[in-house]
Amino acid sequence: MKSAVETINPTRVKLTVEVPYAELQPSIDAALKTIGASIQVPGFRKGKVPSRIIEQRVGRGAVLQEAINEALPGFYGEAVDQSDLRPIGQPEVEITQVPMDDSEQLAFTAEV
């Protein structure tokens, strides 16, 4: 994971974070498991639906949304620790790039 800090003013900074797909993969696997446990697909027992069937049913976007929502606080916390920041308030997070395949990366900015 790469992160960069840009100082906006003495009390605000903007963190730019880039997360490789390989670091996001465990979150995607967990999201597939969570979604698979909550949907019923004819021919499969609940929780035993293959991941490609889940992606066909709910879409790749829904799986990525679930994975990113679960992983984002951890990535943000790691970036804050790497940058030696002490945030006072909640960050304003903007996701700038969503990885649609394994050659892309997740990128987001957090202003705090």
XYZ file of all heavy atoms in Angstrom:
851
model
N 0.842 -1.171 0.000
C 0.000 0.000 0.000
C 0.889 1.237 0.000
O 1.838 1.323 0.774
C -0.902 -0.022 1.230
C -1.813 1.152 1.304
S -2.943 1.103 2.677
C -1.884 1.624 3.980
N 0.564 2.168 -0.883
C 1.296 3.431 -0.942
C 0.376 4.545 -0.465
O -0.814 4.552 -0.761
C 1.728 3.734 -2.377
C 2.754 2.768 -2.936
C 3.316 3.222 -4.249
C 2.231 3.415 -5.288
N 2.728 3.747 -6.622
N 0.943 5.477 0.268
C 0.161 6.629 0.699
C 1.025 7.879 0.616
O 2.245 7.820 0.787
C -0.373 6.442 2.119
O 0.677 6.335 3.032
N 0.368 9.000 0.338
C 1.053 10.284 0.262
C 0.225 11.307 1.028
O -1.009 11.258 1.018
C 1.209 10.723 -1.187
N 0.899 12.235 1.681
C 0.239 13.268 2.478
C 0.448 14.609 1.813
O 1.564 14.970 1.442
C 0.795 13.303 3.917
C 0.133 14.403 4.722
C 0.621 11.968 4.588
N -0.640 15.353 1.669
C -0.591 16.712 1.125
C -1.200 17.636 2.174
O -2.340 17.440 2.583
C -1.392 16.763 -0.176
C -1.511 18.132 -0.772
C -2.467 18.143 -1.972
O -2.717 17.098 -2.559
O -2.961 19.236 -2.284
N -0.449 18.626 2.617
C -0.947 19.559 3.626
C -1.784 20.639 2.944
O -1.302 21.351 2.064
C 0.225 20.207 4.385
O 1.021 19.161 4.950
C -0.269 21.124 5.482
N -3.043 20.736 3.363
C -3.957 21.734 2.797
C -3.826 23.044 3.568
O -3.718 24.111 2.993
C -5.396 21.213 2.820
C -5.501 19.975 1.926
C -6.379 22.284 2.378
C -6.800 19.254 1.998
N -3.887 22.950 4.873
C -3.624 24.082 5.757
C -3.056 23.503 7.053
O -2.925 22.290 7.161
C -4.879 24.964 5.955
C -6.019 24.257 6.645
O -5.821 23.497 7.584
N -7.234 24.523 6.186
N -2.705 24.308 8.028
C -2.036 23.761 9.221
C -2.826 22.672 9.962
O -2.229 21.861 10.659
C -1.835 24.983 10.117
C -1.775 26.129 9.172
C -2.713 25.778 8.052
N -4.150 22.648 9.808
C -4.921 21.654 10.547
C -5.606 20.617 9.661
O -6.313 19.755 10.161
C -6.017 22.344 11.389
O -6.883 23.071 10.517
C -5.400 23.258 12.420
N -5.427 20.683 8.350
C -6.055 19.712 7.436
C -5.010 19.133 6.489
O -4.160 19.858 5.987
C -7.175 20.344 6.613
C -8.413 20.576 7.454
C -9.637 20.942 6.667
N -10.330 19.913 5.949
C -11.096 18.974 6.496
N -11.180 18.877 7.799
N -11.753 18.118 5.741
N -5.127 17.831 6.283
C -4.263 17.159 5.317
C -5.116 16.267 4.425
O -6.233 15.894 4.782
C -3.167 16.298 6.006
C -2.192 17.150 6.778
C -3.767 15.229 6.864
N -4.547 15.974 3.275
C -5.226 15.094 2.325
C -4.327 13.879 2.104
O -3.194 14.006 1.669
C -5.457 15.834 1.009
C -6.217 15.044 -0.009
C -6.476 15.917 -1.235
C -7.314 15.199 -2.252
N -7.602 16.068 -3.401
N -4.850 12.714 2.465
C -4.134 11.455 2.281
C -4.559 10.848 0.954
O -5.756 10.711 0.695
C -4.513 10.470 3.379
C -3.702 10.428 4.640
C -4.409 9.577 5.678
C -2.340 9.873 4.376
N -3.611 10.487 0.124
C -3.891 9.767 -1.109
C -3.342 8.363 -0.935
O -2.146 8.192 -0.687
C -3.232 10.456 -2.311
O -3.687 11.815 -2.357
C -3.589 9.768 -3.610
N -4.218 7.363 -1.048
C -3.836 5.982 -0.766
C -4.107 5.116 -1.987
O -5.169 5.219 -2.602
C -4.619 5.434 0.451
C -4.184 4.019 0.785
C -4.450 6.337 1.650
N -3.131 4.268 -2.331
C -3.279 3.307 -3.414
C -3.044 1.909 -2.846
O -2.011 1.647 -2.241
C -2.278 3.597 -4.532
C -2.515 4.925 -5.217
C -1.454 5.262 -6.246
O -0.431 4.538 -6.319
O -1.640 6.252 -6.957
N -4.033 1.025 -3.048
C -3.967 -0.329 -2.521
C -3.934 -1.311 -3.689
O -4.865 -1.325 -4.493
C -5.191 -0.628 -1.625
C -5.104 -2.032 -1.054
C -5.326 0.399 -0.522
N -2.892 -2.137 -3.803
C -2.850 -3.129 -4.877
C -3.986 -4.148 -4.734
O -4.477 -4.408 -3.633
C -1.497 -3.813 -4.707
C -0.727 -2.972 -3.775
C -1.689 -2.151 -2.993
N -4.372 -4.733 -5.842
C -5.463 -5.711 -5.849
C -5.157 -6.887 -4.923
O -6.060 -7.406 -4.269
C -5.697 -6.201 -7.279
C -6.920 -7.079 -7.428
C -8.174 -6.504 -7.597
C -6.813 -8.463 -7.398
C -9.301 -7.295 -7.730
C -7.935 -9.259 -7.532
C -9.174 -8.675 -7.700
O -10.293 -9.465 -7.824
N -3.902 -7.287 -4.839
C -3.531 -8.427 -4.002
C -3.859 -8.175 -2.525
O -4.225 -9.107 -1.803
C -2.045 -8.738 -4.164
N -3.733 -6.938 -2.067
C -4.066 -6.612 -0.678
C -5.566 -6.533 -0.462
O -6.043 -6.701 0.658
C -3.413 -5.293 -0.263
C -1.917 -5.383 -0.095
C -1.306 -4.105 0.449
O -1.930 -3.457 1.313
O -0.201 -3.757 0.006
N -6.331 -6.289 -1.526
C -7.785 -6.219 -1.428
C -8.421 -7.595 -1.577
O -9.564 -7.796 -1.160
C -8.327 -5.265 -2.502
C -9.805 -4.917 -2.473
C -10.160 -4.205 -1.174
C -10.166 -4.047 -3.651
N -7.703 -8.559 -2.136
C -8.252 -9.892 -2.422
C -8.851 -10.583 -1.201
O -9.946 -11.148 -1.303
C -7.179 -10.779 -3.076
C -7.695 -12.121 -3.544
C -8.757 -12.002 -4.620
O -8.593 -11.244 -5.560
N -9.835 -12.740 -4.470
N -8.223 -10.579 -0.010
C -8.866 -11.214 1.147
C -10.224 -10.592 1.488
O -11.141 -11.303 1.895
C -7.862 -11.003 2.284
C -6.557 -10.816 1.610
C -6.861 -10.137 0.310
N -10.359 -9.295 1.305
C -11.642 -8.635 1.567
C -12.687 -9.040 0.537
O -13.865 -9.178 0.859
C -11.478 -7.119 1.558
O -10.593 -6.728 2.567
N -12.264 -9.227 -0.714
C -13.186 -9.673 -1.763
C -13.662 -11.093 -1.459
O -14.854 -11.397 -1.583
C -12.529 -9.577 -3.157
C -12.312 -8.106 -3.520
C -13.371 -10.277 -4.219
C -11.526 -7.879 -4.786
N -12.742 -11.951 -1.022
C -13.119 -13.317 -0.664
C -14.103 -13.329 0.501
O -15.081 -14.086 0.495
C -11.875 -14.138 -0.310
C -10.956 -14.351 -1.505
O -11.423 -14.212 -2.657
O -9.763 -14.638 -1.280
N -13.867 -12.476 1.496
C -14.778 -12.387 2.641
C -16.138 -11.855 2.211
O -17.179 -12.317 2.701
C -14.175 -11.502 3.727
N -16.154 -10.891 1.283
C -17.422 -10.346 0.788
C -18.206 -11.416 0.030
O -19.432 -11.515 0.174
C -17.170 -9.137 -0.107
N -17.512 -12.213 -0.765
C -18.180 -13.305 -1.483
C -18.795 -14.304 -0.503
O -19.906 -14.781 -0.702
C -17.195 -14.009 -2.415
C -16.844 -13.266 -3.693
C -15.634 -13.896 -4.375
C -18.024 -13.235 -4.640
N -18.080 -14.594 0.568
C -18.580 -15.518 1.579
C -19.803 -14.939 2.294
O -20.788 -15.636 2.519
C -17.462 -15.819 2.582
C -17.720 -16.984 3.466
C -16.483 -17.295 4.283
C -16.532 -18.730 4.710
N -15.324 -19.149 5.388
N -19.737 -13.648 2.634
C -20.862 -12.995 3.306
C -22.097 -12.948 2.418
O -23.207 -13.271 2.864
C -20.470 -11.554 3.711
O -19.334 -11.613 4.566
C -21.610 -10.842 4.406
N -21.900 -12.560 1.167
C -23.032 -12.485 0.235
C -23.575 -13.886 -0.039
O -24.782 -14.094 -0.094
C -22.615 -11.772 -1.064
C -22.315 -10.301 -0.784
C -23.706 -11.887 -2.130
C -21.682 -9.553 -1.938
N -22.684 -14.871 -0.196
C -23.111 -16.243 -0.448
C -23.939 -16.820 0.683
O -24.844 -17.634 0.453
N -23.657 -16.392 1.905
C -24.418 -16.871 3.055
C -25.787 -16.213 3.155
O -26.683 -16.743 3.825
C -23.630 -16.628 4.335
N -25.963 -15.079 2.488
C -27.228 -14.361 2.624
C -28.168 -14.525 1.435
O -29.312 -14.101 1.512
C -26.952 -12.871 2.860
O -26.344 -12.311 1.714
N -27.713 -15.142 0.332
C -28.601 -15.320 -0.812
C -28.929 -16.795 -0.993
O -28.168 -17.679 -0.594
C -27.996 -14.753 -2.124
C -26.730 -15.499 -2.537
C -27.758 -13.272 -2.019
C -26.221 -15.123 -3.913
N -30.087 -17.054 -1.584
C -30.523 -18.412 -1.871
C -30.531 -18.601 -3.377
O -31.199 -17.853 -4.093
C -31.933 -18.647 -1.299
C -32.462 -20.038 -1.533
C -31.658 -21.105 -0.782
O -31.255 -20.887 0.348
N -31.424 -22.226 -1.425
N -29.766 -19.571 -3.873
C -29.693 -19.877 -5.293
C -30.197 -21.307 -5.477
O -29.690 -22.218 -4.814
C -28.243 -19.738 -5.824
C -28.169 -20.114 -7.288
C -27.737 -18.321 -5.616
N -31.185 -21.501 -6.336
C -31.697 -22.862 -6.553
C -30.579 -23.808 -7.006
O -29.767 -23.468 -7.854
C -32.729 -22.685 -7.671
C -33.115 -21.242 -7.619
C -31.900 -20.506 -7.126
N -30.542 -24.987 -6.388
C -29.531 -25.976 -6.732
C -28.331 -25.965 -5.807
O -27.468 -26.831 -5.913
N -28.251 -24.963 -4.926
C -27.128 -24.861 -3.994
C -27.651 -24.690 -2.575
O -28.659 -24.004 -2.359
C -26.224 -23.674 -4.332
C -25.565 -23.776 -5.677
C -26.093 -23.133 -6.780
C -24.408 -24.530 -5.834
C -25.484 -23.228 -8.016
C -23.798 -24.625 -7.070
C -24.340 -23.975 -8.171
N -26.934 -25.277 -1.628
C -27.281 -25.043 -0.231
C -26.849 -23.631 0.153
O -25.906 -23.088 -0.414
C -26.571 -26.057 0.671
C -27.107 -27.460 0.509
C -26.364 -28.414 1.381
N -24.965 -28.419 0.931
C -24.004 -29.095 1.513
N -24.248 -29.820 2.574
N -22.766 -29.062 1.055
N -27.558 -23.082 1.120
C -27.226 -21.727 1.571
C -25.797 -21.704 2.109
O -25.420 -22.539 2.920
C -28.200 -21.288 2.658
C -28.211 -19.816 2.899
C -29.371 -19.410 3.767
C -29.545 -17.919 3.637
N -30.866 -17.507 3.959
N -24.992 -20.763 1.624
C -23.604 -20.643 2.042
C -22.641 -21.476 1.222
O -21.444 -21.419 1.427
N -23.134 -22.263 0.275
C -22.279 -23.130 -0.539
C -22.295 -22.740 -2.016
O -21.936 -23.527 -2.873
C -22.735 -24.598 -0.415
C -22.728 -25.118 0.999
C -21.332 -25.175 1.544
C -21.345 -25.751 2.959
N -20.055 -25.695 3.582
N -22.693 -21.517 -2.312
C -22.772 -21.046 -3.691
C -21.371 -20.667 -4.177
O -20.656 -19.929 -3.499
C -23.719 -19.821 -3.793
C -23.862 -19.362 -5.220
C -25.081 -20.146 -3.191
N -20.938 -21.172 -5.357
C -19.616 -20.805 -5.883
C -19.524 -19.307 -6.172
O -20.515 -18.654 -6.502
C -19.512 -21.606 -7.188
C -20.538 -22.678 -7.084
C -21.616 -22.148 -6.206
N -18.312 -18.785 -6.058
C -18.113 -17.337 -6.192
C -18.496 -16.825 -7.579
O -19.035 -15.726 -7.700
C -16.677 -16.959 -5.861
O -15.774 -17.640 -6.694
N -18.247 -17.577 -8.632
C -18.611 -17.089 -9.970
C -20.126 -16.995 -10.134
O -20.617 -16.092 -10.805
C -17.982 -17.937 -11.066
C -18.407 -19.358 -11.116
C -17.718 -20.084 -12.280
N -18.042 -21.478 -12.297
C -19.219 -21.984 -12.671
N -20.176 -21.184 -13.065
N -19.440 -23.288 -12.645
N -20.881 -17.877 -9.460
C -22.344 -17.811 -9.503
C -22.822 -16.581 -8.728
O -23.747 -15.891 -9.152
C -22.979 -19.102 -8.927
C -22.503 -20.336 -9.677
C -24.499 -18.993 -8.916
C -22.978 -20.432 -11.104
N -22.181 -16.309 -7.600
C -22.543 -15.113 -6.811
C -22.333 -13.861 -7.650
O -23.198 -12.980 -7.696
C -21.724 -15.046 -5.507
C -22.091 -16.205 -4.584
C -21.945 -13.711 -4.796
C -21.173 -16.352 -3.395
N -21.178 -13.777 -8.333
C -20.895 -12.599 -9.165
C -21.895 -12.479 -10.308
O -22.259 -11.372 -10.690
C -19.467 -12.655 -9.690
C -18.442 -12.336 -8.631
C -17.024 -12.265 -9.169
O -16.825 -12.329 -10.397
O -16.106 -12.140 -8.344
N -22.358 -13.604 -10.860
C -23.362 -13.557 -11.926
C -24.694 -13.062 -11.385
O -25.396 -12.298 -12.048
C -23.562 -14.940 -12.553
C -22.431 -15.391 -13.431
C -22.631 -16.816 -13.926
O -23.529 -17.520 -13.488
N -21.764 -17.231 -14.843
N -25.056 -13.511 -10.182
C -26.358 -13.145 -9.596
C -26.420 -11.699 -9.123
O -27.370 -10.990 -9.416
C -26.676 -14.063 -8.408
C -27.026 -15.448 -8.786
C -28.403 -15.473 -9.392
N -28.742 -16.832 -9.753
C -29.952 -17.311 -9.694
N -30.951 -16.561 -9.300
N -30.174 -18.538 -10.052
N -25.437 -11.273 -8.332
C -25.501 -9.935 -7.730
C -24.642 -8.917 -8.457
O -24.807 -7.724 -8.251
C -25.133 -9.958 -6.227
C -26.079 -10.823 -5.459
C -23.702 -10.392 -6.009
N -23.704 -9.369 -9.277
C -22.846 -8.453 -10.021
C -21.524 -8.215 -9.326
O -21.423 -8.257 -8.104
N -20.515 -7.966 -10.129
C -19.164 -7.721 -9.614
C -19.136 -6.435 -8.778
O -18.433 -6.344 -7.784
C -18.184 -7.619 -10.797
C -16.764 -7.323 -10.434
C -16.026 -8.556 -10.081
N -14.600 -8.246 -9.917
C -13.831 -8.903 -9.111
N -14.287 -9.926 -8.439
N -12.573 -8.579 -8.981
N -19.916 -5.444 -9.181
C -19.945 -4.174 -8.464
C -20.414 -4.315 -7.032
O -19.861 -3.684 -6.121
N -21.431 -5.136 -6.810
C -21.950 -5.336 -5.451
C -20.912 -6.034 -4.571
O -20.771 -5.703 -3.388
C -23.239 -6.137 -5.495
N -20.203 -6.985 -5.154
C -19.155 -7.692 -4.400
C -18.032 -6.720 -4.036
O -17.564 -6.688 -2.899
C -18.614 -8.890 -5.213
C -17.429 -9.529 -4.508
C -19.715 -9.916 -5.447
N -17.604 -5.908 -5.011
C -16.546 -4.927 -4.745
C -16.985 -3.888 -3.718
O -16.197 -3.476 -2.868
C -16.115 -4.244 -6.039
C -15.252 -5.086 -6.972
C -15.060 -4.377 -8.299
C -13.915 -5.390 -6.337
N -18.248 -3.461 -3.804
C -18.752 -2.478 -2.840
C -18.697 -3.041 -1.428
O -18.238 -2.362 -0.502
C -20.182 -2.080 -3.195
C -20.775 -1.083 -2.231
C -22.206 -0.717 -2.581
O -22.764 -1.190 -3.570
N -22.808 0.113 -1.770
N -19.129 -4.267 -1.255
C -19.090 -4.900 0.066
C -17.652 -5.024 0.559
O -17.346 -4.721 1.708
C -19.750 -6.284 -0.016
C -19.705 -7.068 1.260
C -20.693 -6.604 2.304
O -21.673 -5.927 1.954
O -20.466 -6.910 3.488
N -16.739 -5.454 -0.324
C -15.334 -5.636 0.065
C -14.682 -4.313 0.440
O -13.968 -4.222 1.441
C -14.563 -6.300 -1.080
N -14.926 -3.286 -0.350
C -14.312 -1.982 -0.086
C -14.873 -1.370 1.193
O -14.121 -0.810 2.007
C -14.489 -1.039 -1.296
C -13.626 -1.549 -2.462
C -14.120 0.393 -0.943
C -13.888 -0.851 -3.777
N -16.178 -1.496 1.416
C -16.773 -0.961 2.644
C -16.184 -1.620 3.887
O -16.014 -0.965 4.914
C -18.285 -1.139 2.629
C -18.976 -0.155 1.717
O -18.419 0.865 1.333
N -20.198 -0.463 1.338
N -15.885 -2.904 3.801
C -15.311 -3.603 4.948
C -13.818 -3.296 5.126
O -13.329 -3.235 6.248
C -15.516 -5.117 4.800
C -16.948 -5.557 4.925
C -17.562 -5.249 6.281
O -16.888 -5.462 7.309
O -18.709 -4.769 6.307
N -13.091 -3.119 4.028
C -11.636 -2.964 4.100
C -11.167 -1.526 4.269
O -10.065 -1.286 4.760
C -10.995 -3.553 2.842
N -11.984 -0.565 3.871
C -11.562 0.834 3.866
C -11.104 1.355 5.227
O -10.054 2.001 5.301
C -12.680 1.710 3.292
C -12.273 3.085 2.815
C -11.280 2.975 1.660
C -13.481 3.861 2.362
N -11.807 1.088 6.324
C -11.309 1.587 7.614
C -9.920 1.057 7.968
O -9.098 1.795 8.519
C -12.353 1.093 8.620
C -13.592 0.913 7.817
C -13.134 0.469 6.461
N -9.642 -0.183 7.642
C -8.321 -0.753 7.916
C -7.229 -0.100 7.089
O -6.150 0.206 7.597
N -7.510 0.107 5.792
C -6.530 0.761 4.920
C -6.303 2.207 5.349
O -5.174 2.691 5.336
C -6.979 0.717 3.460
C -6.977 -0.669 2.867
C -8.000 -1.071 2.045
C -5.953 -1.561 3.127
C -8.011 -2.336 1.483
C -5.949 -2.834 2.576
C -6.984 -3.230 1.749
N -7.366 2.892 5.745
C -7.242 4.275 6.213
C -6.389 4.325 7.485
O -5.470 5.146 7.608
C -8.624 4.888 6.460
C -8.579 6.191 7.215
C -8.145 7.357 6.593
C -8.952 6.272 8.546
C -8.081 8.561 7.282
C -8.900 7.455 9.237
C -8.460 8.599 8.609
O -8.397 9.775 9.303
N -6.669 3.436 8.424
C -5.905 3.399 9.671
C -4.437 3.111 9.438
O -3.562 3.708 10.062
N -4.155 2.203 8.512
C -2.766 1.876 8.186
C -2.057 3.069 7.552
O -0.901 3.353 7.864
C -2.751 0.682 7.228
C -1.398 0.073 7.016
C -1.465 -1.163 6.136
O -2.467 -1.895 6.191
O -0.489 -1.380 5.389
N -2.760 3.805 6.677
C -2.167 4.981 6.039
C -1.894 6.083 7.064
O -0.861 6.756 6.998
C -3.079 5.502 4.937
N -2.793 6.249 8.016
C -2.599 7.252 9.076
C -1.375 6.883 9.917
O -0.562 7.738 10.252
C -3.869 7.379 9.948
C -3.589 8.135 11.233
C -4.972 8.067 9.176
N -1.236 5.600 10.246
C -0.081 5.150 11.031
C 1.222 5.348 10.272
O 2.222 5.793 10.847
C -0.231 3.680 11.421
C -1.305 3.471 12.475
O -1.697 4.459 13.131
O -1.758 2.318 12.624
N 1.232 5.015 8.979
C 2.442 5.181 8.169
C 2.851 6.641 8.062
O 4.031 6.957 7.989
C 2.220 4.637 6.754
C 2.244 3.150 6.642
C 2.011 2.687 5.215
O 1.801 3.492 4.312
N 2.034 1.380 5.012
N 1.878 7.542 8.048
C 2.153 8.964 7.856
C 2.377 9.712 9.167
O 2.596 10.921 9.153
C 0.995 9.617 7.100
O 0.780 8.959 5.880
N 2.284 9.025 10.292
C 2.437 9.639 11.613
C 1.483 10.811 11.823
O 1.869 11.878 12.298
C 3.884 10.102 11.849
C 4.823 8.931 12.060
O 4.350 7.874 12.512
O 6.021 9.086 11.774
N 0.225 10.611 11.456
C -0.801 11.637 11.655
C -1.612 11.319 12.897
O -1.723 10.158 13.301
C -1.733 11.689 10.437
C -1.108 12.095 9.109
C -2.136 11.989 8.003
C -0.565 13.503 9.188
N -2.192 12.359 13.489
C -3.103 12.192 14.613
C -4.404 12.902 14.259
O -4.587 14.080 14.597
C -2.496 12.771 15.878
C -1.290 11.991 16.353
C -0.812 12.436 17.690
N -1.011 13.890 17.882
C -0.270 14.634 18.645
N 0.718 14.114 19.302
N -0.507 15.923 18.783
N -5.312 12.212 13.570
C -6.556 12.861 13.154
C -7.439 13.211 14.350
O -7.492 12.478 15.325
C -7.226 11.828 12.251
C -6.564 10.546 12.538
C -5.226 10.841 13.119
N -8.117 14.340 14.221
C -9.004 14.808 15.283
C -10.448 14.437 14.969
O -11.188 14.043 15.837
C -8.876 16.336 15.461
C -7.472 16.671 15.932
C -9.906 16.856 16.446
C -7.171 18.146 15.964
N -10.845 14.549 13.709
C -12.231 14.292 13.328
C -12.353 13.145 12.346
O -11.398 12.451 12.033
N -13.576 12.973 11.859
C -13.853 11.934 10.866
C -13.328 12.371 9.498
O -13.436 13.534 9.136
C -15.364 11.687 10.769
C -15.960 11.066 12.013
C -15.448 9.653 12.239
O -15.260 8.895 11.299
N -15.205 9.315 13.489
N -12.794 11.441 8.725
C -12.271 11.800 7.401
C -13.382 11.937 6.373
O -14.448 11.336 6.508
C -11.365 10.618 7.059
C -11.999 9.466 7.755
C -12.539 10.041 9.041
N -13.126 12.750 5.354
C -14.000 12.830 4.192
C -13.333 11.974 3.122
O -12.306 12.357 2.565
C -14.139 14.272 3.717
C -14.829 15.172 4.713
C -14.807 16.634 4.284
O -14.537 16.909 3.098
O -15.038 17.479 5.152
N -13.900 10.802 2.852
C -13.271 9.830 1.963
C -13.925 9.886 0.593
O -15.145 9.951 0.474
C -13.392 8.405 2.548
C -12.794 7.380 1.599
C -12.716 8.324 3.902
N -13.085 9.862 -0.435
C -13.552 9.800 -1.814
C -12.787 8.688 -2.520
O -11.552 8.712 -2.574
C -13.314 11.129 -2.537
C -13.786 11.114 -3.969
C -13.459 12.410 -4.694
O -13.090 13.399 -4.046
O -13.566 12.407 -5.927
N -13.515 7.719 -3.043
C -12.886 6.619 -3.775
C -12.675 7.088 -5.202
O -13.619 7.455 -5.887
C -13.747 5.350 -3.716
C -13.867 4.903 -2.263
C -13.155 4.255 -4.586
C -14.800 3.761 -2.033
N -11.420 7.085 -5.647
C -11.092 7.613 -6.967
C -10.908 6.535 -8.019
O -11.036 6.806 -9.211
C -9.816 8.477 -6.907
O -8.754 7.697 -6.350
C -10.041 9.716 -6.062
N -10.587 5.308 -7.595
C -10.427 4.216 -8.561
C -10.849 2.906 -7.910
O -10.406 2.574 -6.821
C -8.975 4.117 -9.025
C -8.756 3.043 -10.059
C -7.294 2.976 -10.515
O -6.458 3.767 -10.075
N -7.000 2.042 -11.387
N -11.711 2.156 -8.619
C -12.180 0.858 -8.152
C -11.579 -0.210 -9.063
O -11.686 -0.101 -10.286
C -13.724 0.781 -8.169
C -14.205 -0.595 -7.773
C -14.320 1.839 -7.257
N -10.956 -1.244 -8.491
C -10.334 -2.273 -9.331
C -11.373 -3.240 -9.898
O -12.006 -3.981 -9.162
C -9.399 -2.990 -8.364
C -10.049 -2.831 -7.038
C -10.743 -1.494 -7.080
N -11.563 -3.232 -11.210
C -12.516 -4.148 -11.829
C -11.865 -5.487 -12.181
O -12.546 -6.463 -12.418
C -13.139 -3.515 -13.078
C -14.011 -2.318 -12.753
S -15.221 -2.589 -11.434
C -16.457 -3.522 -12.306
N -10.544 -5.549 -12.233
C -9.837 -6.815 -12.412
C -8.526 -6.762 -11.638
O -8.211 -5.760 -10.994
C -9.605 -7.135 -13.898
C -8.791 -6.076 -14.630
O -7.984 -5.374 -13.988
O -8.958 -5.949 -15.851
N -7.755 -7.838 -11.684
C -6.561 -7.911 -10.845
C -5.380 -7.087 -11.331
O -4.349 -7.024 -10.667
C -6.133 -9.362 -10.636
C -5.835 -10.075 -11.944
O -6.024 -9.470 -13.020
O -5.418 -11.244 -11.885
N -5.507 -6.402 -12.471
C -4.413 -5.537 -12.933
C -4.564 -4.100 -12.431
O -3.652 -3.298 -12.579
C -4.354 -5.539 -14.464
O -5.523 -4.945 -14.997
N -5.697 -3.782 -11.855
C -5.958 -2.426 -11.348
C -5.793 -2.398 -9.835
O -5.628 -3.426 -9.197
C -7.365 -1.987 -11.754
C -7.555 -1.891 -13.253
C -8.976 -1.522 -13.645
O -9.811 -1.340 -12.752
O -9.227 -1.430 -14.846
N -5.872 -1.191 -9.277
C -5.746 -1.038 -7.834
C -6.854 -0.151 -7.295
O -7.483 0.591 -8.033
C -4.380 -0.466 -7.479
C -4.119 0.909 -8.060
C -2.691 1.358 -7.796
O -1.898 0.619 -7.244
N -2.374 2.573 -8.186
N -7.065 -0.229 -5.997
C -8.013 0.630 -5.311
C -7.285 1.912 -4.943
O -6.171 1.865 -4.417
C -8.528 -0.046 -4.049
C -9.328 0.802 -3.076
C -10.644 1.238 -3.689
C -9.574 0.050 -1.774
N -7.887 3.046 -5.247
C -7.290 4.335 -4.896
C -8.370 5.199 -4.237
O -9.508 5.221 -4.691
C -6.726 5.030 -6.118
N -8.007 5.849 -3.156
C -8.936 6.762 -2.493
C -8.179 7.894 -1.832
O -6.979 7.798 -1.597
C -9.832 6.031 -1.485
C -9.114 5.477 -0.276
C -9.007 6.210 0.890
C -8.579 4.194 -0.297
C -8.360 5.697 1.993
C -7.933 3.663 0.801
C -7.832 4.423 1.952
N -8.906 8.986 -1.600
C -8.353 10.126 -0.869
C -9.172 10.319 0.391
O -10.378 10.059 0.404
C -8.385 11.415 -1.708
O -9.734 11.722 -2.038
C -7.552 11.291 -2.968
N -8.518 10.756 1.441
C -9.187 11.035 2.703
C -8.686 12.377 3.199
O -7.488 12.572 3.400
C -8.883 9.948 3.717
N -9.610 13.300 3.381
C -9.248 14.619 3.903
C -9.642 14.660 5.357
O -10.782 14.386 5.727
C -9.996 15.698 3.113
C -9.459 17.085 3.348
C -10.076 18.096 2.414
O -10.150 17.848 1.194
O -10.505 19.151 2.921
N -8.662 14.970 6.208
C -8.893 14.937 7.647
C -8.158 16.082 8.314
O -7.182 16.576 7.793
C -8.477 13.582 8.237
C -7.007 13.352 8.106
C -8.918 13.411 9.653
